[in-house]
Amino acid sequence: MSETTETIFSKIIRREIPADIIYEDNLVLAFKDIHPQAPVHILLIPKKTIPTLADAESEDHALLGHLLLTAKRLAEEAGLKNGYRVVINTGDDGGQTVHHLHVHILGGRQLNWPPG
Ligand code: 5GP
């Protein structure tokens, strides 16, 4: 898949479709998942179009670090003191449905393991 592939998340970044945006900086955007799987379900995406984690390259090192540290900060700001889960579904077997790299931040209930 090419880096220019458009997804619904590209349209959210450009404000062409609405989303409940909770954080933005020059590198990333965070918004509430439209079908939340937990009381807190945030999606955190890079503004750079990287289709999947498998497409990330060494030049994305700092961006990926920023994503994880931002996930931690958003979880804290959401009040997830008792823990949370950070998930990056990758590719078909990983259950990825939107091909723009995204981090799920889930919390507010006891989460089960292993996932289905
Ligand atoms: P994936 O299965 O690819 O890891 O996760 C994609 C996520 O994007 C799903 O949890 C789905 O509910 C969410 N999603 C899909 N379309 C939209 C949308 O238009 N707006 C928002 N806020 N979330 C979406």
Side-chain angles (χ1 to χ4, degrees), residues 8-9 12 17-20 31-37 41 43 87-90 94-99 102 104:
I8 198 108
F9 292 173
I12 289 174
I17 63 166
D20 195 344
F31 49 93
K32 293 183 180 176
D33 196 293
I34 202 166
H35 293 125
Q37 301 301 313
H41 189 171
L43 296 174
V87 175
I88 303 176
N89 294 327
T90 303
Q96 184 176 6
T97 59
V98 179
H99 290 90
H102 52 279
H104 296 259

Side-chain angles (χ1 to χ4, degrees), residues 1-112:
M1 191 167 299
S2 88
E3 284 214 354
T4 55
T5 301
E6 279 281 310
T7 69
I8 198 108
F9 292 173
S10 302
K11 293 183 168 63
I12 289 174
I13 291 168
R14 294 198 302 266
R15 307 301 202 272
E16 290 172 7
I17 63 166
D20 195 344
I21 292 171
I22 56 176
Y23 177 77
E24 179 173 26
D25 64 26
N26 59 330
L27 294 175
V28 302
L29 183 73
F31 49 93
K32 293 183 180 176
D33 196 293
I34 202 166
H35 293 125
Q37 301 301 313
V40 174
H41 189 171
I42 298 166
L43 296 174
L44 173 62
I45 68 174
K47 289 184 174 175
K48 177 180 177 182
T49 305
I50 303 172
T52 82
L53 182 61
D55 297 302
E57 300 189 18
S58 52
E59 68 184 32
D60 301 313
H61 181 99
L63 176 59
L64 295 180
H66 183 60
L67 272 176
L68 272 187
L69 288 171
T70 303
K72 172 200 142 171
R73 194 173 125 204
L74 293 176
E76 285 170 358
E77 289 174 3
L80 300 176
K81 292 184 170 46
N82 208 36
Y84 53 91
R85 186 169 295 165
V86 171
V87 175
I88 303 176
N89 294 327
T90 303
D92 290 341
D93 280 3
Q96 184 176 6
T97 59
V98 179
H99 290 90
H100 182 123
L101 173 61
H102 52 279
V103 176
H104 296 259
I105 304 159
L106 296 143
R109 68 170 172 85
Q110 179 66 59
L111 297 165
N112 298 319

